[in-house]
Amino acid sequence: MAKRKKDNLQWIKETLELQPDHHWESPSGYKIFVANRGAVRFNVPQNWVFEPQEKSFKFLDKKPPKDDCCLEVSFNHLPPHDWNLFPLKNTLKKVVEEDSRDVIAKGEIITVKRQTARIVWTEIKFIDTQEEPREAFSRICIGLGSNVQCLITFDYWADQAEQLTPVWDEAIRSLTLGLYIRDPKTGLAFPD
């Protein structure tokens, strides 16, 4: 999708026919989300609803207001620099500490090392009080690689954790940063 003018943000959906020898691959039941030609890429469930926001992208299991969960991603291009020493784990700890929800449990911080990216994520459990009090989870991921930084969050009800945890697992497993796509019809990529 391409953006129009910044002052009147509108998204234009463009559908392209894939070439027969394309390189796009995702597990059954998933589709591939690619932002900014490959700055950020990961897999999401095939039937989820896509809602572009002003500064992020949302994926919902159903159209609002019937949605039960939300996977959201935002990203920034960083200036060329050696970001290997950036304190990702401490940054994520600070994000969790500053969370304003009624947090009742915090998970450990998981570190994922990839050839071209560092990824950390954790989970908090909180009481959602928008309607009737209900336990919910929020998973938070910070990724850094190829001069791209991303933030991914996933909020879902605690009683749906068993069915929704695999969605998060696949998003993190397939998360790729800074592998730019030359031709979206073939899926050929090149590193930044």
Side-chain angles (χ1 to χ4, degrees), residues 49-62:
V49 177
F50 175 66
E51 287 196 347
Q53 306 295 300
E54 186 175 338
K55 295 183 179 183
S56 66
F57 303 94
K58 282 186 178 182
F59 297 91
L60 307 162
D61 63 331
K62 297 176 210 113

Side-chain angles (χ1 to χ4, degrees), residues 1 13 29 31 33 42 44-53 56-73 154 167:
M1 289 191 180
K13 182 177 181 180
K31 59 186 171 186
F33 168 71
F42 58 90
V44 295
Q46 182 75 39
N47 58 347
W48 279 27
V49 177
F50 175 66
E51 287 196 347
Q53 306 295 300
S56 66
F57 303 94
K58 282 186 178 182
F59 297 91
L60 307 162
D61 63 331
K62 297 176 210 113
K63 254 193 167 347
K66 298 188 183 264
D67 57 305
D68 283 320
C69 61
C70 176
L71 180 70
E72 187 169 9
V73 61
F154 187 35
V167 171

Side-chain angles (χ1 to χ4, degrees), residues 8 17 37 44 67 76 108 118 141 156 158 174:
N8 184 16
E17 282 295 318
R37 295 182 17 253
V44 295
D67 57 305
N76 296 304
E108 66 178 285
R118 293 185 305 136
C141 167
Y156 56 95
S174 61

Side-chain angles (χ1 to χ4, degrees), residues 19-179:
Q19 293 184 357
D21 60 343
H22 72 81
H23 297 272
W24 295 109
E25 291 183 23
S26 65
S28 178
Y30 284 84
K31 59 186 171 186
I32 304 167
F33 168 71
V34 181
N36 200 310
R37 295 182 17 253
V40 177
R41 177 175 53 179
F42 58 90
N43 297 333
V44 295
Q46 182 75 39
N47 58 347
W48 279 27
V49 177
F50 175 66
E51 287 196 347
Q53 306 295 300
E54 186 175 338
K55 295 183 179 183
S56 66
F57 303 94
K58 282 186 178 182
F59 297 91
L60 307 162
D61 63 331
K62 297 176 210 113
K63 254 193 167 347
K66 298 188 183 264
D67 57 305
D68 283 320
C69 61
C70 176
L71 180 70
E72 187 169 9
V73 61
S74 61
F75 68 95
N76 296 304
H77 290 278
L78 303 173
H81 183 70
D82 181 2
W83 295 101
N84 287 325
L85 299 179
F86 184 82
L88 273 184
K89 200 170 185 177
N90 288 339
T91 302
L92 183 56
K93 279 182 189 176
K94 186 174 180 179
V95 167
V96 169
E97 287 169 9
E98 294 176 356
D99 197 296
S100 62
R101 294 173 286 193
D102 184 10
V103 176
I104 57 174
K106 297 177 185 177
E108 66 178 285
I109 293 182
I110 309 295
T111 301
V112 180
K113 291 184 181 176
R114 301 262 165 76
Q115 189 173 8
T116 59
R118 293 185 305 136
I119 300 164
V120 294
W121 69 270
T122 193
E123 173 181 86
I124 61 171
K125 190 175 193 179
F126 65 98
I127 302 295
D128 184 283
T129 56
Q130 291 180 7
E131 293 178 14
E132 291 293 317
R134 188 173 176 188
E135 288 186 354
F137 284 110
S138 184
R139 290 191 169 188
I140 307 157
C141 167
I142 301 173
L144 184 60
S146 300
N147 296 321
V148 175
Q149 175 270 322
C150 76
L151 173 67
I152 303 174
T153 59
F154 187 35
D155 294 343
Y156 56 95
W157 300 117
D159 58 9
Q160 296 176 337
E162 188 174 331
Q163 73 190 57
L164 292 173
T165 298
V167 171
W168 177 262
D169 293 344
E170 179 57 25
I172 298 302
R173 185 203 65 76
S174 61
L175 179 59
T176 306
L177 300 173
L179 192 59

